[in-house]
Amino acid sequence: MESNMFGFGYKKKKAELWRKQKGNLIEKCLGPALDDAVLYIIPPVDFAPGLYVHLNDGYFALSTLDMSELPGKGASNNRYDNIEFCMMAKEKITLDETATPILKEESSFMLMRYITTAIADYAASGATLNVGDTIEFPKDYDETIGGKCFFFWPHQGSSVDASLGLMMIIEIHSSEMEFARSEGPSKLVDKLKNSKAFPFSYPERLSVI
């Protein structure tokens, strides 16, 4: 019994250190996460992982933190042994009890929350989302993200160590998805950067292709 308790305690401590390491990387990339309590005002969804909110000057981001409990376990891809996800929108918001507009189902905040959750759930189920990959949700998936296309690219702040990476989820147009598949993902990144759209998601923008 004592040896089992010691093993459990060691695993728990290792998991806590790993989570702190991931949190430090994500905050280096996206800025400080708001206190967990701020998420309590956000209506829950059935399969949501822990999502964290980062508010910056002119944009906000959502990130995961629980794609792996321990190093080498959980979601990974062709560049990183472990990955977490983030999504960013070029929009300034505030999160408090008076901020009801952003909590409406059609708001960009709630849409990004739904997208991040769906993709995190997809990766947690065993799907591998590599650097430069694109995906398109089937049109009959649901009314919210059915037919939407997404592109995955590592945040530049997480490119140092292959043990852990922060993958950005970027909503793109179908023409941009086809361009990335035919010409290469880095060329799409260049076009998005030239139009100042990278790395943000806002579906109302025009295609860069």
Side-chain angles (χ1 to χ4, degrees):
M1 178 66 72
E2 288 184 2
S3 61
N4 288 340
M5 288 295 291
F6 176 79
F8 175 77
Y10 174 76
K11 181 180 178 181
K12 182 179 179 181
K13 183 66 174 178
K14 191 173 182 180
E16 290 173 351
L17 291 172
W18 176 236
R19 199 168 191 274
K20 184 176 181 180
Q21 180 182 338
K22 292 190 295 179
N24 288 340
L25 172 70
I26 292 169
E27 292 202 343
K28 183 185 79 170
C29 295
L30 304 177
L34 297 186
D35 186 85
D36 292 0
V38 79
L39 297 183
Y40 297 160
I41 65 170
I42 301 173
V45 292
D46 293 340
F47 52 103
L51 292 181
Y52 293 84
V53 184
H54 309 258
L55 301 184
N56 293 280
D57 187 20
Y59 76 94
F60 73 90
L62 298 181
S63 70
T64 65
L65 187 59
D66 302 302
M67 298 303 298
S68 60
E69 182 182 8
L70 294 168
K73 307 289 185 181
S76 63
N77 62 19
N78 60 349
R79 184 172 299 184
Y80 300 107
D81 297 332
N82 289 101
I83 58 173
E84 296 290 342
F85 293 100
C86 71
M87 196 169 185
M88 290 173 271
K90 206 168 187 179
E91 181 179 342
K92 189 171 184 178
I93 63 170
T94 59
L95 272 181
D96 56 43
E97 291 79 359
T98 65
T100 51
I102 70 162
L103 304 182
K104 289 184 178 178
E105 193 171 332
E106 67 274 13
S107 71
S108 59
F109 182 90
M110 293 303 290
L111 177 60
M112 276 178 49
R113 182 171 188 258
Y114 189 88
I115 292 168
T116 306
T117 297
I119 289 174
D121 186 66
Y122 180 53
S125 71
T128 300
L129 298 171
N130 289 319
V131 172
D133 275 358
T134 58
I135 63 170
E136 180 178 10
F137 281 88
K139 290 185 178 180
D140 59 356
Y141 181 84
D142 67 17
E143 295 181 354
T144 305
I145 57 175
K148 288 183 177 291
C149 305
F150 300 95
F151 175 66
F152 302 92
W153 200 253
H155 193 287
Q156 62 180 9
S158 68
S159 60
V160 177
D161 188 349
S163 66
L164 177 62
L166 182 60
M167 295 295 295
M168 299 184 293
I169 303 166
I170 304 172
E171 184 174 354
I172 57 175
H173 292 276
S174 58
S175 59
E176 295 169 340
M177 178 182 70
E178 295 303 325
F179 177 84
R181 291 177 174 179
S182 63
E183 303 300 323
S186 60
K187 289 188 177 181
L188 175 60
V189 170
D190 289 341
K191 285 185 173 292
L192 291 171
K193 285 182 175 179
N194 288 339
S195 68
K196 302 189 185 308
F198 185 88
F200 303 104
S201 293
Y202 41 106
E204 69 276 9
R205 72 169 176 82
L206 298 176
S207 172
V208 298
I209 305 303

